[in-house]
Short mmCIF file of all heavy atoms in Angstrom, two decimals:
data_model
loop_
_atom_site.label_atom_id
_atom_site.label_comp_id
_atom_site.label_asym_id
_atom_site.label_seq_id
_atom_site.Cartn_x
_atom_site.Cartn_y
_atom_site.Cartn_z
N PRO O 104 -4.42 12.00 -22.65
CA PRO O 104 -5.39 12.66 -21.76
C PRO O 104 -5.07 14.13 -21.52
O PRO O 104 -3.91 14.56 -21.66
CB PRO O 104 -5.27 11.86 -20.46
CG PRO O 104 -4.70 10.54 -20.87
CD PRO O 104 -3.78 10.84 -22.01
N LYS O 105 -6.10 14.89 -21.17
CA LYS O 105 -5.90 16.32 -20.85
C LYS O 105 -4.83 16.48 -19.78
O LYS O 105 -3.98 17.37 -19.85
CB LYS O 105 -7.21 16.93 -20.37
CG LYS O 105 -8.23 17.20 -21.44
CD LYS O 105 -9.42 17.95 -20.85
CE LYS O 105 -10.39 18.39 -21.93
NZ LYS O 105 -11.52 19.17 -21.36
N SER O 106 -4.91 15.66 -18.75
CA SER O 106 -3.93 15.64 -17.67
C SER O 106 -3.70 14.18 -17.31
O SER O 106 -4.65 13.41 -17.26
CB SER O 106 -4.44 16.42 -16.46
OG SER O 106 -3.56 16.33 -15.37
N PHE O 107 -2.45 13.82 -17.08
CA PHE O 107 -2.17 12.40 -16.85
C PHE O 107 -1.10 12.19 -15.79
O PHE O 107 -0.24 13.03 -15.55
CB PHE O 107 -1.72 11.72 -18.15
CG PHE O 107 -0.53 12.37 -18.82
CD1 PHE O 107 0.77 12.12 -18.38
CD2 PHE O 107 -0.71 13.24 -19.88
CE1 PHE O 107 1.86 12.72 -19.00
CE2 PHE O 107 0.37 13.85 -20.50
CZ PHE O 107 1.66 13.59 -20.06
N VAL O 108 -1.20 11.05 -15.13
CA VAL O 108 -0.16 10.53 -14.26
C VAL O 108 0.09 9.10 -14.71
O VAL O 108 -0.82 8.27 -14.67
CB VAL O 108 -0.55 10.56 -12.77
CG1 VAL O 108 0.54 9.89 -11.92
CG2 VAL O 108 -0.77 12.01 -12.30
N LEU O 109 1.31 8.83 -15.16
CA LEU O 109 1.66 7.51 -15.67
C LEU O 109 2.72 6.89 -14.76
O LEU O 109 3.64 7.58 -14.32
CB LEU O 109 2.21 7.61 -17.10
CG LEU O 109 1.39 8.42 -18.11
CD1 LEU O 109 2.11 8.48 -19.45
CD2 LEU O 109 -0.01 7.81 -18.28
N GLN O 110 2.59 5.61 -14.50
CA GLN O 110 3.57 4.93 -13.66
C GLN O 110 3.97 3.62 -14.34
O GLN O 110 3.52 2.54 -13.99
CB GLN O 110 2.98 4.68 -12.27
CG GLN O 110 4.00 4.29 -11.19
CD GLN O 110 3.99 2.80 -10.91
OE1 GLN O 110 3.01 2.26 -10.41
NE2 GLN O 110 5.08 2.12 -11.25
N PRO O 111 4.84 3.76 -15.36
CA PRO O 111 5.30 2.56 -16.07
C PRO O 111 6.26 1.74 -15.22
O PRO O 111 7.12 2.29 -14.53
CB PRO O 111 6.01 3.14 -17.32
CG PRO O 111 6.40 4.53 -16.93
CD PRO O 111 5.38 5.00 -15.95
N MET O 112 6.13 0.44 -15.30
CA MET O 112 6.97 -0.46 -14.51
C MET O 112 8.30 -0.77 -15.21
O MET O 112 9.25 -1.21 -14.56
CB MET O 112 6.22 -1.76 -14.23
CG MET O 112 4.91 -1.57 -13.46
SD MET O 112 5.16 -0.89 -11.80
CE MET O 112 5.74 -2.34 -10.94
N LYS O 113 8.36 -0.57 -16.52
CA LYS O 113 9.59 -0.79 -17.27
C LYS O 113 9.49 -0.03 -18.59
O LYS O 113 8.44 0.52 -18.93
CB LYS O 113 9.83 -2.28 -17.53
CG LYS O 113 8.71 -2.96 -18.30
CD LYS O 113 9.00 -4.44 -18.50
CE LYS O 113 7.87 -5.12 -19.28
NZ LYS O 113 8.16 -6.55 -19.53
N ASN O 114 10.61 0.03 -19.32
CA ASN O 114 10.67 0.75 -20.60
C ASN O 114 10.18 2.19 -20.46
O ASN O 114 9.44 2.71 -21.30
CB ASN O 114 9.84 0.02 -21.67
CG ASN O 114 10.40 -1.35 -22.00
OD1 ASN O 114 11.61 -1.52 -22.10
ND2 ASN O 114 9.54 -2.33 -22.16
N VAL O 115 10.65 2.84 -19.39
CA VAL O 115 10.21 4.20 -19.11
C VAL O 115 10.68 5.17 -20.19
O VAL O 115 9.96 6.09 -20.58
CB VAL O 115 10.72 4.66 -17.72
CG1 VAL O 115 10.15 6.02 -17.38
CG2 VAL O 115 10.35 3.65 -16.66
N ARG O 116 11.88 4.96 -20.68
CA ARG O 116 12.42 5.86 -21.71
C ARG O 116 11.50 5.90 -22.94
O ARG O 116 11.30 6.96 -23.54
CB ARG O 116 13.82 5.43 -22.12
CG ARG O 116 14.41 6.29 -23.24
CD ARG O 116 15.84 5.98 -23.52
NE ARG O 116 16.34 6.83 -24.59
CZ ARG O 116 17.58 7.25 -24.67
NH1 ARG O 116 18.47 6.92 -23.75
NH2 ARG O 116 17.97 8.00 -25.69
N LEU O 117 10.96 4.76 -23.31
CA LEU O 117 10.05 4.71 -24.47
C LEU O 117 8.82 5.58 -24.24
O LEU O 117 8.33 6.23 -25.17
CB LEU O 117 9.63 3.27 -24.76
CG LEU O 117 10.73 2.29 -25.16
CD1 LEU O 117 10.16 0.91 -25.39
CD2 LEU O 117 11.45 2.79 -26.42
N VAL O 118 8.32 5.60 -23.01
CA VAL O 118 7.15 6.42 -22.68
C VAL O 118 7.52 7.90 -22.81
O VAL O 118 6.76 8.70 -23.37
CB VAL O 118 6.63 6.12 -21.27
CG1 VAL O 118 5.45 7.02 -20.92
CG2 VAL O 118 6.23 4.65 -21.15
N ARG O 119 8.68 8.27 -22.28
CA ARG O 119 9.14 9.67 -22.40
C ARG O 119 9.21 10.08 -23.87
O ARG O 119 8.71 11.13 -24.26
CB ARG O 119 10.52 9.82 -21.76
CG ARG O 119 10.56 9.60 -20.27
CD ARG O 119 11.96 9.87 -19.71
NE ARG O 119 11.97 9.58 -18.28
CZ ARG O 119 12.63 8.58 -17.71
NH1 ARG O 119 13.37 7.77 -18.47
NH2 ARG O 119 12.57 8.39 -16.41
N GLU O 120 9.86 9.24 -24.66
CA GLU O 120 10.05 9.56 -26.08
C GLU O 120 8.71 9.70 -26.80
O GLU O 120 8.54 10.58 -27.65
CB GLU O 120 10.93 8.49 -26.73
CG GLU O 120 12.37 8.52 -26.24
CD GLU O 120 13.20 7.38 -26.79
OE1 GLU O 120 12.62 6.35 -27.19
OE2 GLU O 120 14.44 7.51 -26.80
N TYR O 121 7.76 8.84 -26.46
CA TYR O 121 6.45 8.91 -27.12
C TYR O 121 5.73 10.20 -26.74
O TYR O 121 5.17 10.89 -27.61
CB TYR O 121 5.59 7.71 -26.76
CG TYR O 121 4.23 7.77 -27.41
CD1 TYR O 121 4.09 7.55 -28.77
CD2 TYR O 121 3.09 8.08 -26.67
CE1 TYR O 121 2.85 7.64 -29.39
CE2 TYR O 121 1.85 8.17 -27.27
CZ TYR O 121 1.74 7.95 -28.64
OH TYR O 121 0.51 8.06 -29.25
N LEU O 122 5.72 10.55 -25.47
CA LEU O 122 5.05 11.77 -25.03
C LEU O 122 5.67 13.00 -25.67
O LEU O 122 4.97 13.92 -26.10
CB LEU O 122 5.11 11.88 -23.50
CG LEU O 122 4.30 10.84 -22.72
CD1 LEU O 122 4.61 10.94 -21.23
CD2 LEU O 122 2.79 11.03 -22.96
N ILE O 123 6.99 13.01 -25.75
CA ILE O 123 7.68 14.14 -26.38
C ILE O 123 7.29 14.25 -27.85
O ILE O 123 7.02 15.34 -28.36
CB ILE O 123 9.20 13.98 -26.23
CG1 ILE O 123 9.61 14.14 -24.76
CG2 ILE O 123 9.95 15.00 -27.09
CD1 ILE O 123 11.03 13.70 -24.48
#
Side-chain angles (χ1 to χ4, degrees):
K105 285 186 173 182
S106 176
F107 56 81
V108 175
L109 310 177
Q110 194 258 294
M112 301 296 283
K113 59 181 180 178
N114 296 319
V115 185
R116 178 173 180 148
L117 296 180
V118 178
R119 295 184 183 112
E120 291 174 338
Y121 179 72
L122 292 172
I123 291 168

